[in-house]
Amino acid sequence: MESSGLLSHIFHTSFWTTSSLSTILFFLSKHSIIMKFALAALSSSLLLARTQAFAPLRASAVTRRSLSTTSSLHANVLKLSDPQTELLDKVDIFIFDCDGVIWRGDSLIPGIPETLEKLRQAGKKCFFVTNNSTKSRAGYKKKFDGLGLDSVPAEEIFSSSFAAAAYLEQTKFKETGKKAYVIGEIGICQELDLIGVPYIGGPDDEGKQPNMGSGGRLEIDEDVGAVIVGFDRHINYYKIQYAQLAINEHDAQFIATNLDAVTHLTDAQEWAGNGSMVGAIKGCTGQEPVVVGKPSPLMIDYLEDKYGMDRSRICMVGDRLDTDVLFGTDNGLQSLLVLSGVTSEEKLLSPENAITPDFYADTINDFFVSSPVQSESS
């Protein structure tokens, strides 16, 4: 079947099975980069279905492992106990989430610099992929440096702001002559500047109020061809209305950097994440966005194309089940959940949880520490 015919069949099929979905995703992943972005769009709209279909497969795969230790609460989730044989011997490349794994808010998690150095000394390649779009790659490089992680080069850092720009670049948005409307902060704007895509909105629309008096209306630029929604600490009704008009009346693309429910603005508590901003636009347009951040395959596809990686030797490490772990399981990677961020052990081991990592640990520092269970048995 030709690629276009398969895509048509996909988007008009109302019933999905695990096997048919896996086949379709595999087929698309082998085609051109444009097809991969079609996969990103498909993945965002079918996220719930894929989560439910994938979970039993992951669980059965885990039970077939040689179990060195198991949780008393949930036998299918393994806590890392022998890092060398369970993890380090099987992984060449680690992809780390940042918030909740490397730092919390603006505070570095203790022991992280030493652990990253040990991984490099062991010959492991490290990448850092964050769904936070408030900074560009250059902005995140400054944050790494400010936290004492100046050994991390900029080319190892990938943010969802970069992913949004990469999506527009690879789908040749610039050639349409259109511009983007940004709900978000400076990170998205800086990445769009780098690829020469014109935009409006972003920080410039902070504090704006639409005319809501008698006969009031908000006039928008008819050249807006895409609305990018990223985390925005200054979101307001003006921005929501502008996005609504661009999407509903001018058929602008709806692009979300991520759907994270909560985020780490500070290390004191969780804060509402970009899912709340995206939810506002979904609510007034009735449309689902193309999601470019985790768990979308866009960033792993980019890394694979650029570096020629073997996915079976890559481990995704994060603190979220529905983005980080799902990013790993959906894209053929190994996955490990850490408890240093938003996900508790209770939630992970709950019978209601359908997303299963290969292993979990308290922090990534456990990659070089034997667990008490192993120590007692030796």
Side-chain angles (χ1 to χ4, degrees):
M1 184 181 295
E2 292 297 324
S3 300
S4 60
L6 178 59
L7 281 176
S8 176
H9 173 71
I10 288 170
F11 287 105
H12 289 85
T13 299
S14 60
F15 178 78
W16 296 89
T17 65
T18 300
S19 60
S20 63
L21 183 57
S22 299
T23 301
I24 290 166
L25 295 179
F26 178 83
F27 180 90
L28 288 175
S29 68
K30 298 301 180 183
H31 281 67
S32 68
I33 190 68
I34 299 299
M35 294 291 287
K36 289 179 179 178
F37 287 117
L39 176 58
L42 176 62
S43 296
S44 65
S45 64
L46 298 175
L47 182 57
L48 179 58
R50 290 189 288 111
T51 301
Q52 294 171 335
F54 202 92
L57 297 180
R58 299 301 300 171
S60 61
V62 169
T63 57
R64 290 196 297 269
R65 293 179 180 274
S66 175
L67 303 183
S68 56
T69 184
T70 61
S71 164
S72 60
L73 297 178
H74 195 302
N76 287 334
V77 183
L78 302 176
K79 189 165 189 180
L80 194 67
S81 63
D82 184 358
Q84 188 64 48
T85 58
E86 293 172 337
L87 186 67
L88 299 178
D89 288 348
K90 300 176 181 179
V91 175
D92 298 323
I93 299 168
F94 286 93
I95 299 178
F96 294 105
D97 178 44
C98 296
D99 296 332
V101 178
I102 305 301
W103 59 66
R104 298 188 195 93
D106 290 321
S107 300
L108 187 68
I109 294 175
I112 295 301
E114 295 79 6
T115 294
L116 294 179
E117 180 59 28
K118 289 178 182 178
L119 286 172
R120 296 186 191 283
Q121 290 178 355
K124 309 303 181 183
K125 184 73 173 173
C126 299
F127 291 95
F128 303 86
V129 177
T130 175
N131 266 355
N132 192 325
S133 64
T134 59
K135 295 180 177 64
S136 63
R137 296 177 79 181
Y140 271 107
K141 171 58 179 167
K142 290 180 181 179
K143 178 164 186 174
F144 273 86
D145 292 348
L147 291 174
L149 299 172
D150 52 345
S151 63
V152 176
E155 53 269 21
E156 290 183 356
I157 304 169
F158 295 87
S159 63
S160 61
S161 54
F162 168 80
Y167 173 80
L168 292 182
E169 186 173 39
Q170 296 295 344
T171 55
K172 303 188 183 304
F173 178 80
K174 184 179 178 180
E175 296 178 7
T176 68
K178 297 287 188 176
K179 62 186 69 172
Y181 181 73
V182 176
I183 293 178
E185 302 189 14
I186 192 64
I188 297 173
C189 302
Q190 289 176 339
E191 293 291 353
L192 295 179
D193 282 336
L194 292 175
I195 63 171
V197 168
Y199 62 88
I200 56 177
D204 289 343
D205 284 354
E206 178 183 339
K208 286 187 177 181
Q209 294 282 344
N211 176 12
M212 293 179 283
S214 178
R217 56 184 288 113
L218 178 60
E219 300 292 343
I220 72 167
D221 190 327
E222 295 184 1
D223 287 334
V224 171
V227 173
I228 303 173
V229 183
F231 184 74
D232 191 337
R233 282 167 284 198
H234 304 285
I235 192 167
N236 55 39
Y237 191 66
Y238 179 95
K239 297 179 182 181
I240 295 171
Q241 173 66 355
Y242 205 108
Q244 180 272 130
L245 291 171
I247 295 169
N248 283 343
E249 297 188 4
H250 296 279
D251 297 320
Q253 295 184 67
F254 179 16
I255 301 166
T257 60
N258 67 88
L259 301 177
D260 292 8
V262 294
T263 190
H264 300 279
L265 288 183
T266 70
D267 58 1
Q269 63 182 184
E270 294 177 357
W271 298 78
N274 193 48
S276 61
M277 289 82 180
V278 176
I281 307 306
K282 286 173 60 177
C284 61
T285 64
Q287 295 194 30
E288 293 290 333
V290 172
V291 181
V292 296
K294 297 171 294 186
S296 161
L298 189 148
M299 284 197 274
I300 189 62
D301 287 343
Y302 177 89
L303 289 170
E304 183 180 43
D305 289 342
K306 186 175 178 65
Y307 296 102
M309 298 175 171
D310 176 1
R311 293 193 184 202
S312 68
R313 302 281 299 178
I314 301 173
C315 182
M316 176 66 214
V317 181
D319 68 319
R320 298 175 185 268
L321 292 165
D322 58 349
T323 55
D324 300 322
V325 173
L326 202 59
F327 178 73
T329 57
D330 275 8
N331 292 295
L333 316 179
Q334 299 179 55
S335 61
L336 184 143
L337 181 90
V338 291
L339 303 178
S340 49
V342 301
T343 304
S344 66
E345 187 174 36
E346 181 181 7
K347 180 177 180 180
L348 169 66
L349 303 177
S350 168
E352 287 75 35
N353 173 39
I355 304 173
T356 309
D358 293 302
F359 294 98
Y360 75 101
D362 293 326
T363 73
I364 68 170
N365 298 326
D366 292 349
F367 290 6
F368 295 97
V369 177
S370 297
S371 73
V373 173
Q374 184 190 36
S375 300
E376 292 171 5
S377 61
S378 60

